[in-house]
Amino acid sequence: MYTILDIETTGGKYNEEGITEIAIHKFDGHQVVDTFISLVNPEKDIQPFVVKLTGINNKMLRTAPKFHEVAKRIVEITEDTVIVAHNAQFDYRILRTEFKRLGYNFERKTLCTVDLSKTLLPDAESYSLGKLVRSLGIAVSDRHRANGDALATIKLFKLLLTKDTDKSIIKSVIRKETHGELSENQLDIIQELPSETGVYYMHNKDGDILFLGHTKNIKKRVNDHFIKRGDRARKLQKETKKVTFEKTGSELISLLKEHEELLKNKPRYNNKVKPKLYSHALYKGYTKEGYITLNASHINGNRENITTFNSIHGAKNFIYKINEEFCLCDKLNGLSEAKTNCSKFNEEKCKGACVQKETVEEYNKRVAQVIEKYSLANKSVIIVDKGREIGEYSAILIKEGTFIGLGYYDLNHQINNIAILESIITPMKSGKNAIHIIESYLRKKRVVKIIDLNT
């Protein structure tokens, strides 16, 4: 016996969402034998984007029953059944959290139609409910309302049952307690974790670090570890007795701390850290006329590079980007296979350096702007980013292209005085790998500001 359900929530911070609507259909494998559908008063405001998505607003829920008033009905209709949902991990977590607030331990086995679809419908372009059912010709109405989505999931589940001719797939994906349902100890651990950026540490009974990682949401990431499947994941789940964390505020700080601490601690369940995180680099050269060229190649001994990459593909994509951004020449930078000088060029993209139409000085000035923007080589700077709390900032110190360390400050004079700054900085030894991490991050994301110590 199955109960196929869908839940709509208020949105908001992880594990702080409230239920606004629930639809449950008891399904015997052939037909629906019982149904429960209700709006629910979450006793908190709905996020505006959720109102727009679902059409459910705060006014509609004022007279709706609160969760404790429908809890008994939910227990009764789901008893001795397997819960089926599209992204069952989400719906089951929401239900478990609501029941936990009432002091009740709600436990059911679950089936996820996303997981089933990936196995039984491997050629689907998308596994989101709306796109998947449309691709299968399944009619769906009241999308993003609990009952509309639940009815669509019933039709999808019927199709999946038909496709699973030997039933072995369905049996294998039923989530037993160690696969998807958190133990009381794991739920208690999750409850104490923040939904913030930082580094987390999973410990065994002796306090040894089994695994550490960086994340933008500590609570969600650890929860993912606890519900992940596979032999290695289950061993980590079984051995983890405690999780500690360090908030960093800045995602870049969390990346640097993760790398440094992996080298020091070598946790059993982390992958081995590579001696070099990068394999390719951008190098500067010159044509016989004096134009600067920027070319990507494999790391070349101790030759000084502009910036590093973990693949040739990433390096060449970067050259395409800077050529577009700074109107540089594809041929000079190794992206054009032409054997002779270009006879035609797009003046918006390339101003004619490859045919000496543009002066060496004009062209090289723009190349210098690229290097200034994207390379930390020989620079002395402070990278300022978010702190762990309001009014605090993080600081990453780089001297003459070498990563020195990182720290936090809340007063301007702490970074304006280099002696004070160095006293609050935690020294680190990640070297060139740290510079690679920082430059890679700055190519894609923004920080609060970068202070040049030479000006």
Side-chain angles (χ1 to χ4, degrees):
M1 190 71 74
Y2 307 96
T3 41
I4 297 172
L5 66 82
D6 187 80
I7 290 171
E8 302 299 331
T9 72
T10 58
K13 289 186 178 180
Y14 185 85
N15 267 11
E16 294 181 11
E17 311 100 322
I19 294 176
T20 58
E21 188 176 36
I22 186 167
I24 305 175
H25 296 271
K26 197 168 187 176
F27 180 68
D28 66 3
H30 305 282
Q31 61 185 355
V32 173
V33 295
D34 194 6
T35 296
F36 172 69
I37 304 167
S38 180
L39 290 170
V40 180
N41 184 346
E43 302 181 81
K44 62 178 69 178
D45 288 339
I46 307 173
Q47 297 288 308
F49 81 92
V50 177
V51 174
K52 187 175 181 180
L53 182 69
T54 66
I56 301 171
N57 58 50
N58 295 314
K59 186 177 179 180
M60 292 170 60
L61 303 180
R62 285 175 190 162
T63 58
K66 297 180 176 71
F67 184 78
H68 71 86
E69 297 175 277
V70 299
K72 183 179 179 183
R73 178 73 172 115
I74 294 170
V75 171
E76 290 173 346
I77 195 171
T78 61
E79 192 169 10
D80 297 324
T81 70
V82 175
I83 288 177
V84 179
H86 204 72
N87 191 7
Q89 171 191 330
F90 172 80
D91 297 86
Y92 186 61
R93 173 179 67 80
I94 294 294
L95 273 180
R96 292 265 290 177
T97 300
E98 288 283 9
F99 276 109
K100 188 174 176 65
R101 289 169 185 157
L102 300 179
Y104 180 80
N105 184 30
F106 180 82
E107 289 188 355
R108 300 290 186 267
K109 292 180 180 179
T110 64
L111 272 174
C112 180
T113 50
V114 176
D115 293 342
L116 286 171
S117 298
K118 286 179 178 178
T119 302
L120 294 164
L121 304 168
D123 297 325
E125 291 185 6
S126 171
Y127 294 99
S128 69
L129 182 61
K131 291 180 180 178
L132 182 59
V133 295
R134 275 198 300 273
S135 71
L136 296 169
I138 296 172
V140 56
S141 59
D142 289 331
R143 184 76 178 94
H144 298 301
R145 288 296 298 267
N147 195 45
D149 286 355
L151 291 173
T153 305
I154 291 173
K155 293 174 183 177
L156 173 62
F157 187 52
K158 284 181 178 179
L159 175 66
L160 294 171
L161 285 174
T162 302
K163 285 187 171 289
D164 187 30
T165 53
D166 60 7
K167 306 304 175 193
S168 61
I169 297 175
I170 286 184
K171 290 174 185 177
S172 69
V173 297
I174 292 179
R175 296 185 177 183
K176 297 178 180 162
E177 189 166 331
T178 56
H179 283 184
E181 303 173 9
L182 304 190
S183 69
E184 283 301 309
N185 180 53
Q186 289 171 336
L187 282 170
D188 289 340
I189 287 173
I190 294 294
Q191 196 70 26
E192 297 300 318
L193 297 175
S195 301
E196 297 183 41
T197 300
V199 182
Y200 61 95
Y201 311 85
M202 305 176 76
H203 305 264
N204 64 13
K205 60 183 177 62
D206 298 318
D208 300 325
I209 298 175
L210 300 170
F211 187 95
L212 70 86
H214 83 279
T215 177
K216 293 175 70 175
N217 187 326
I218 296 170
K219 184 190 289 283
K220 184 179 186 303
R221 187 70 186 93
V222 174
N223 185 79
D224 290 344
H225 280 293
F226 284 155
I227 62 175
K228 192 175 181 180
R229 289 174 288 175
D231 291 341
R232 186 180 176 85
R234 284 197 292 275
K235 288 178 182 177
L236 178 59
Q237 292 158 11
K238 185 176 181 180
E239 293 182 44
T240 298
K241 302 303 177 187
K242 185 177 181 180
V243 177
T244 60
F245 61 89
E246 183 176 343
K247 291 191 285 185
T248 62
S250 161
E251 185 183 3
L252 178 53
I253 295 281
S254 71
L255 284 163
L256 291 168
K257 285 186 68 66
E258 175 194 48
H259 179 69
E260 183 86 3
E261 294 176 6
L262 282 173
L263 291 171
K264 289 182 178 179
N265 294 285
K266 298 180 176 60
R268 186 190 316 164
Y269 290 100
N270 283 95
N271 293 327
K272 188 176 180 181
V273 181
K274 297 177 182 178
K276 278 187 180 178
L277 299 180
Y278 51 93
S279 57
H280 292 76
L282 192 67
Y283 292 102
K284 182 168 71 171
Y286 292 88
T287 67
K288 62 181 181 181
E289 295 83 11
Y291 292 98
I292 297 174
T293 61
L294 300 175
N295 293 284
S297 69
H298 200 277
I299 291 295
N300 185 357
N302 293 320
R303 183 184 172 193
E304 185 175 342
N305 62 66
I306 294 169
T307 188
T308 53
F309 304 86
N310 56 19
S311 70
I312 188 63
H313 179 71
K316 288 194 173 181
N317 278 345
F318 177 70
I319 297 177
Y320 278 112
K321 174 186 172 181
I322 60 173
N323 283 5
E324 190 75 30
E325 183 181 357
F326 290 89
C327 297
L328 301 184
C329 177
D330 282 355
K331 183 176 181 184
L332 292 184
N333 288 343
L335 296 181
S336 171
E337 299 298 328
K339 302 289 185 183
T340 61
N341 287 339
C342 302
S343 57
K344 296 180 181 180
F345 52 85
N346 180 349
E347 292 195 10
E348 290 182 1
K349 183 178 179 183
C350 171
K351 299 180 184 298
C354 55
V355 290
Q356 291 82 55
K357 180 175 180 179
E358 183 179 20
T359 68
V360 170
E361 291 75 16
E362 289 173 334
Y363 185 80
N364 287 356
K365 183 178 179 180
R366 293 202 307 282
V367 177
Q369 291 171 346
V370 172
I371 297 171
E372 175 63 25
K373 181 174 180 179
Y374 290 108
S375 177
L376 292 172
N378 303 314
K379 286 185 182 177
S380 294
V381 298
I382 302 168
I383 299 172
V384 176
D385 204 7
K386 298 173 186 176
R388 298 161 295 188
E389 56 192 37
I390 295 173
E392 181 182 71
Y393 293 93
S394 59
I396 297 168
L397 178 59
I398 294 167
K399 276 189 172 182
E400 297 179 357
T402 300
F403 173 56
I404 304 300
L406 54 85
Y408 294 90
Y409 73 94
D410 54 15
L411 298 170
N412 283 334
H413 79 263
Q414 291 175 295
I415 59 166
N416 293 333
N417 185 316
I418 192 67
I420 295 176
L421 175 63
E422 289 181 337
S423 72
I424 63 174
I425 287 291
T426 301
M428 291 194 171
K429 300 178 180 179
S430 301
K432 292 182 180 180
N433 279 337
I435 294 296
H436 169 74
I437 291 169
I438 295 167
E439 288 181 338
S440 299
Y441 184 89
L442 294 178
R443 286 197 291 267
K444 301 170 187 175
K445 300 185 180 182
R446 303 174 74 91
V447 292
V448 173
K449 61 182 175 180
I450 299 176
I451 302 171
D452 189 341
L453 295 178
N454 293 324
T455 57

